[in-house]
Amino acid sequence: MTMQDSGPTPEIGQIVQCTKGRDQGQYFVIIELIDDRFVRIADGDKRKIDRAKKKNMNHLELVDYIAEEVKSSFIETGRVTNGKLRYAITNFLEKHSNLLKEGD
């Protein structure tokens, strides 16, 4: 039996957008890969790192953007601060708000 490739693979530090649930439409950062179906996400604000949410990959839309500062923090120290998560999401939204406006 072959494993079916279900699109892009999630990575730590990757920005995702929730497509289901109470957090729908909000952006988060993947902070842990649990297995091939679940990840843990946090945004450093409403959803802090110590209360990270376990999410089914089917309820997330992967954004083609990896927050390098989050990824390198995990590589160096094995953890990341809430401030870094907030910074990563703010940075992403600032860079991509131009793209969203141009699409009108």
Side-chain angles (χ1 to χ4, degrees):
M1 192 171 90
T2 57
M3 272 285 288
Q4 281 191 327
D5 187 26
S6 57
T9 317
E11 276 188 63
I12 285 181
Q14 186 162 14
I15 304 277
V16 293
Q17 186 174 22
C18 284
T19 57
K20 297 263 188 307
R22 173 185 339 190
D23 302 323
Q24 188 171 359
Q26 291 178 314
Y27 290 95
F28 294 89
V29 181
I30 294 177
I31 60 161
E32 186 187 344
L33 305 173
I34 298 171
D35 56 30
D36 56 358
R37 274 192 49 218
F38 290 97
V39 294
R40 246 182 246 293
I41 58 171
D43 67 358
D45 184 22
K46 287 190 279 302
R47 179 64 64 184
K48 298 226 183 330
I49 199 108
D50 56 344
R51 290 186 44 248
K53 178 127 177 97
K54 181 179 175 183
K55 268 303 224 187
N56 186 325
M57 284 304 300
N58 296 337
H59 300 170
L60 295 173
E61 188 179 313
L62 293 174
V63 177
D64 190 17
Y65 181 88
I66 309 277
E68 288 303 327
E69 59 275 7
V70 174
K71 193 174 178 178
S72 62
S73 177
F74 267 108
I75 292 167
E76 288 162 24
T77 65
R79 54 190 210 89
V80 69
T81 62
N82 288 313
K84 255 197 187 113
L85 292 178
R86 286 193 301 271
Y87 172 79
I89 291 172
T90 306
N91 215 4
F92 162 76
L93 292 174
E94 280 173 4
K95 283 181 182 167
H96 291 78
S97 65
N98 312 345
L99 300 176
L100 299 175
K101 286 178 190 142
E102 286 170 15
D104 284 337

